[in-house]
Amino acid sequence: MRAVLSKAPGGPETLVVEDVLDPTPKAGEVVIEVKAVGINYPDTLIIEDRYQFRPERPFSPGAEVAGVVEAVGEGVKGVRKGDRVIAVPGWGGLVERLAVKAETVIPIPEAMSFEEAAALIMTYGTSYYALKDRAQLKAGETLLVLGAAGGVGAAAVELGKAMGARVVAAASTNDKVQFALDLGADNGLIYPTGPMDKAAQKELSGEFKLATGRDGADVVYDAVGGDYADPALRAMDWNGRYLVVGFPAGIPSLPLNLTLLKSVSVIGVFWGAAVARDPQGHAANMAELMQMYADGKIKPRVSQTFPLEKAGAAIKALGDRQALGKIVVVVGD
Ligand SMILES: NC(=O)c1ccc[n+]([C@@H]2O[C@H](COP(=O)([O-])OP(=O)(O)OC[C@H]3O[C@@H](n4cnc5c(N)ncnc54)[C@H](OP(=O)(O)O)[C@@H]3O)[C@@H](O)[C@H]2O)c1
C-alpha cells in the first residue's frame, strides 16, 4: 500500500510517499481501508519533532481517519467488515490501510460523509471538552474565539452557539471573519497578522472589549497564543475563564496581576490526555457531538481536499495559515 512517511525531522517538503507492507489485524484489531484523513495543526508539529509525542521514524503523520473496516482480527466484537468508522490514532493515518484497536473505532452516522467524519473528532472533541468540561460555558455568556476560522476555532464558534453563548469571532482576514460569521458567530473582528508592539496590543484589547460589549468576555478560547493572548486577557469580564488551547503564533507569557484584578481563571486544555484519563467522559462527549450533528447544530466545514500523494501540500497549506475550517486528504478514488 501507499504511505506518506516522515523519515527525518523537517517541514512538509521532507515527507515522502512510498510503498509499504499492508497491515494485518492482530487479535482485537481491525484494519480500516482509509477514505479520508483530517489534517490538524499537530501534523505540522509532529513531523518536526515539536509535538508532545515523538514517534519512532519512519512514521506517517495523520491523526484522524475515516474509512471502511476491511478485515477483523480474532476476538473482535461489535465491529464488522464493511462498517464505516472513524479512528483517531494520533499519527499513522496518511496511509491506504491502517490497523487500530477495534474498541477505539467510532461508527459513522449514515448521513455523514467520510470527509466530514475525518474532520470531526479532534476539533469538536477538543473544543467541546474545553468549553463544556473546562470552562463550563453557560447559555447567555460571551465567548471570544481567537483563530475563529481554523479547525478547533471554527468548532468552538459552532459549539459556543449550540451551547447558547454569544460568540465573538476574531481572525486575521476579512474572509476568515466572514467564514466564522457564516458559522453563526454574533460578532466578528479582524486582528493584525504580524507580531504586535505594546501600543498595537493595547489597541487590539480595546477592539476586543468593543466587540464583546458590556464588561468583556466571560470565556476566551485561545488556540493562537503569541501577541494575541495579552490583549484577550485584558478584555475579560469578572470570573472569566481563559482557555489555553494552542500556540501557532508562539507561546505567550501572561501578567498574573491581570487574573487577580478580574478573578480570572487560566485553564489548560489537553484533550488527548483527558481522553486517555477519562474514556467514559470522552464517550459521553462523542455521543453528545453526534447528536448535535444529527440535529444540524454542528457540521465540519471542509474547504479544501488533497489526494494522498499531495498530503505534504495539505499540511503546508494549514501551517501557512491558509485553512478555512478543515483541510482533508482524500485517499483512493
Ligand atoms: N489543547 C489541545 O488539546 C489541542 C487539540 C487540538 C489542537 N490543538 C492546538 O490548537 C491549535 C490550532 O489547531 P488547528 O488544528 O485548529 O489549526 P488551524 O486550523 O491551522 O488553526 C490555527 C489558527 O491559528 C491562527 N494563527 C495565528 N498565527 C498563526 C501562525 N503563525 N501560523 C499558523 N496559524 C496561525 C490562524 O488563524 P488566523 O490567521 O485567523 O490568526 C489559524 O486559523 C494548534 O496549536 C494545535 O496544536 C490543541
Side-chain angles (χ1 to χ4, degrees):
M1 68 164 183
R2 307 290 281 161
V4 176
L5 296 176
S6 170
K7 295 182 133 182
E13 70 288 350
T14 60
L15 296 173
V16 292
V17 184
E18 287 187 1
D19 283 319
V20 300
L21 286 176
D22 277 351
T24 47
K26 297 193 192 89
E29 287 185 347
V30 293
V31 168
I32 300 170
E33 183 193 357
V34 178
K35 299 285 189 187
V37 186
I39 300 301
N40 294 281
Y41 201 81
D43 296 323
T44 70
L45 302 173
I46 201 167
I47 59 175
E48 292 187 11
D49 286 351
R50 291 200 294 131
Y51 196 49
Q52 288 106 338
F53 305 104
R54 289 194 184 179
E56 212 175 291
R57 289 194 166 75
F59 74 89
S60 176
E64 56 182 338
V65 309
V68 178
V69 174
E70 191 187 68
V72 174
E74 223 184 284
V76 169
K77 293 197 179 76
V79 186
R80 284 178 305 185
K81 192 175 168 192
D83 283 356
R84 286 162 26 99
V85 294
I86 299 170
V88 188
W91 64 87
L94 281 165
V95 292
E96 288 178 318
R97 283 176 198 82
L98 176 71
V100 294
K101 283 193 183 139
E103 66 198 29
T104 63
V105 302
I106 300 168
I108 302 176
E110 216 169 282
M112 192 184 282
S113 70
F114 287 118
E115 291 172 20
E116 283 178 349
L120 183 84
I121 304 294
M122 269 198 92
T123 49
Y124 289 89
T126 299
S127 294
Y128 198 40
Y129 167 67
L131 296 175
K132 179 191 150 193
D133 299 330
R134 302 298 286 139
Q136 295 174 4
L137 177 70
K138 293 178 211 51
E141 288 193 317
T142 300
L143 167 68
L144 170 62
V145 181
L146 309 185
V152 295
V157 169
E158 278 192 303
L159 288 168
K161 285 312 296 174
M163 294 165 81
R166 182 174 167 270
V167 177
V168 177
S172 65
T173 68
N174 189 43
D175 284 355
K176 287 184 175 186
V177 171
Q178 191 53 53
F179 180 83
L181 290 171
D182 292 344
L183 292 177
D186 299 279
N187 199 359
L189 77 148
I190 306 170
Y191 53 52
T193 45
M196 280 172 273
D197 60 18
K198 282 273 170 247
Q201 281 183 307
K202 198 168 168 213
E203 196 180 322
L204 179 59
S205 189
E207 286 173 24
F208 282 153
K209 280 181 198 153
L210 263 183
T212 49
R214 292 180 308 167
D215 302 311
D218 297 296
V219 175
V220 166
Y221 184 98
D222 181 8
V224 174
D227 291 345
Y228 306 95
D230 182 294
L233 181 61
R234 286 177 197 275
M236 295 195 76
D237 198 357
W238 178 254
N239 271 345
R241 285 90 75 206
Y242 188 104
L243 293 166
V244 180
V245 183
F247 319 106
I251 298 176
S253 300
L254 296 176
L256 284 180
N257 60 315
L258 298 180
T259 68
L260 179 152
L261 290 173
K262 297 266 188 75
S263 225
V264 163
S265 308
V266 176
I267 302 179
V269 176
F270 188 174
W271 174 71
V275 169
R277 283 162 182 263
D278 181 14
Q280 283 179 349
H282 170 59
N285 281 358
M286 287 300 110
E288 288 174 31
L289 288 175
M290 289 302 184
Q291 191 57 52
M292 281 189 235
Y293 177 85
D295 294 343
K297 290 182 176 164
I298 60 169
K299 186 175 173 62
R301 303 308 203 278
V302 178
S303 59
Q304 258 181 298
T305 60
F306 292 75
L308 188 66
E309 280 66 28
K310 296 267 165 58
I315 294 174
K316 182 171 171 9
L318 191 99
D320 286 349
R321 216 168 169 167
Q322 285 174 19
L324 277 180
K326 292 293 295 178
I327 292 177
V328 167
V329 168
V330 175
V331 185
D333 304 328

